Amino acid sequence: MLEMFGILYKFILIAVLCNAVIGQPVNAKIITFDPPGSVETLPYQINTKGEITGYYDDSNELGHAFLRTLKGSITTFDVSKAKCGTFGFGINDHGVIVGQYNDRLCNAHGFVRAADGTITTFDAPGAVQTDAYAINNAGVIAGSYVDTKKYTHGYVRDAAGTFSTFDPPNSIETITYSINNPGAIAGTYIDGADTYHGFVRGTDGKITNFDAPDSDGTFAYSINDSGSIVGYYQEREEAYGFVRSPNGIVTAIDPYKSNSVVVFGINKRGVVAGNYVSDMAHGFTYTSNGTYKTFDPKKSIDTNPTAINDKRGTTGWYQKENPGPIHGFLRTR
């Protein structure tokens, strides 16, 4: 269960639903990249400096974490205890990376990699599997863990290594995806009817559940420092992006009325990054004044942004053919 959510970006399937008018923005530069030996490159997060973390699969389908600097230097790394892969998921503005590694039984454990390359591994109390999805500038880590009864819960680990665990009301499975610098957390939980809902955990520990209007399932992925949350929701087997304001108002994001949208990132200014499907999957950004900008790496047939920083640097992955290799990209501006 935990590993499935940990690499969810890679496996989201969106049906082609309608045609759309597509326009490329001007003055945008897209840089593509792959770590050496990569068959599939999956960037997950970008910090304000433009540093990117994620992971790549080699020809043996083994995952390795990486750090890419703004200048394009790529450092790959593995946790020494990892036998079934190392996966980078979150990075803060100090260059500290968090993620998961899998042991020889392919059970997941959390790790934090300091800017100097020192790696510390950890597990939540009572966990048989632990993942770390996000870290803020204070070094507070948010993630999920699986207990001995195979239920998934959320946790917070402070910079000193102290854990607090939590679950939203009515949760059977809790998946924590994002933490902002004040310490608020956003994620998704599953109730007893197997329905997905969004949640936000405030800095005081209070948890608020929410759903997009008319939603058959709400998935919350990213929270910015102001408390705005983005994700997507399902309605009658169609997908729509959303942004939830700090006061709880949920607004649909639907470029060109495509009816098939996923949103993963939001920056401090409220600029959103995601993808939509028309003839193929396209990347887009969206500002609070309602302006959409579409983009794709050259020859891409499938563009999937995963994060955006406060300087509007957007990262993610794309394909030139399907099936075919997956590559990373950085869109500047």
Side-chain angles (χ1 to χ4, degrees):
M1 174 69 76
L2 190 62
E3 183 177 359
M4 177 186 72
F5 288 115
I7 52 179
L8 182 62
Y9 296 149
K10 181 178 175 181
F11 296 106
I12 286 180
L13 302 177
I14 306 174
V16 176
L17 297 174
C18 66
N19 293 323
V21 177
I22 302 165
Q24 284 282 3
V26 296
N27 301 324
K29 181 179 180 181
I30 297 178
I31 302 164
T32 62
F33 64 89
D34 291 288
S38 174
V39 174
E40 295 186 348
T41 302
L42 294 155
Y44 268 69
Q45 192 56 258
I46 182 170
N47 66 13
T48 301
K49 297 178 182 178
E51 297 171 326
I52 297 168
T53 194
Y55 73 91
Y56 71 94
D57 285 345
D58 62 22
S59 58
N60 294 318
E61 298 185 352
L62 185 65
H64 309 273
F66 71 83
L67 167 66
R68 183 190 187 276
T69 67
L70 181 60
K71 294 182 177 180
S73 174
I74 297 177
T75 300
T76 63
F77 63 92
D78 292 285
V79 176
S80 60
K81 301 175 184 179
K83 303 300 179 183
C84 290
T86 301
F87 310 91
F89 292 136
I91 185 170
N92 68 14
D93 290 339
H94 305 301
V96 182
I97 294 171
V98 294
Q100 97 179 32
Y101 75 93
N102 293 348
D103 61 24
R104 62 184 180 84
L105 298 177
C106 291
N107 291 322
H109 308 271
F111 76 83
V112 54
R113 180 185 186 269
D116 64 4
T118 303
I119 294 175
T120 302
T121 61
F122 62 85
D123 286 288
V128 296
Q129 297 199 61
T130 301
D131 206 346
Y133 293 120
I135 183 169
N136 67 14
N137 288 341
V140 181
I141 298 168
S144 299
Y145 73 96
V146 178
D147 65 20
T148 56
K149 296 181 180 179
K150 299 185 178 180
Y151 289 108
T152 305
H153 311 274
Y155 75 81
V156 184
R157 179 186 184 269
D158 68 20
T162 301
F163 283 86
S164 298
T165 63
F166 65 89
D167 289 289
N170 305 316
S171 174
I172 300 299
E173 305 281 347
T174 303
I175 308 98
T176 300
Y177 286 117
S178 180
I179 184 169
N180 64 14
N181 285 317
I185 292 169
T188 300
Y189 75 93
I190 308 171
D191 66 19
D194 204 30
T195 301
Y196 290 77
H197 309 270
F199 75 84
V200 56
R201 181 182 186 269
T203 55
D204 59 359
K206 180 182 178 181
I207 297 175
T208 301
N209 302 343
F210 67 89
D211 292 288
D214 302 316
S215 170
D216 298 321
T218 299
F219 304 80
Y221 287 115
S222 185
I223 184 170
N224 68 8
D225 286 353
S226 300
S228 293
I229 298 169
V230 294
Y232 83 98
Y233 66 97
Q234 293 177 318
E235 181 183 349
R236 294 186 294 275
E237 299 184 357
E238 296 178 351
Y240 302 88
F242 74 82
V243 56
R244 180 186 185 270
S245 67
N247 63 5
I249 297 173
V250 177
T251 302
I253 299 175
D254 188 10
Y256 314 112
K257 303 300 180 181
S258 62
N259 299 330
S260 184
V261 185
V262 175
V263 178
F264 285 126
I266 183 170
N267 68 13
K268 186 184 299 183
R269 297 179 176 88
V271 182
V272 167
N275 81 348
Y276 72 95
V277 175
S278 58
D279 56 321
M280 63 184 191
H282 303 276
F284 75 88
T285 59
Y286 166 81
T287 58
S288 57
N289 64 5
T291 301
Y292 292 99
K293 290 185 178 180
T294 297
F295 66 90
D296 293 291
K298 188 176 181 180
K299 298 183 179 180
S300 173
I301 64 164
D302 187 7
T303 303
N304 296 269
T306 56
I308 183 170
N309 69 11
D310 293 333
K311 296 182 179 180
R312 298 196 185 187
T314 306
T315 193
W317 56 267
Y318 75 100
Q319 286 181 283
K320 296 180 180 179
E321 55 186 354
N322 190 7
I326 296 173
H327 310 278
F329 73 82
L330 167 65
R331 177 182 180 268
T332 61
R333 185 174 174 77

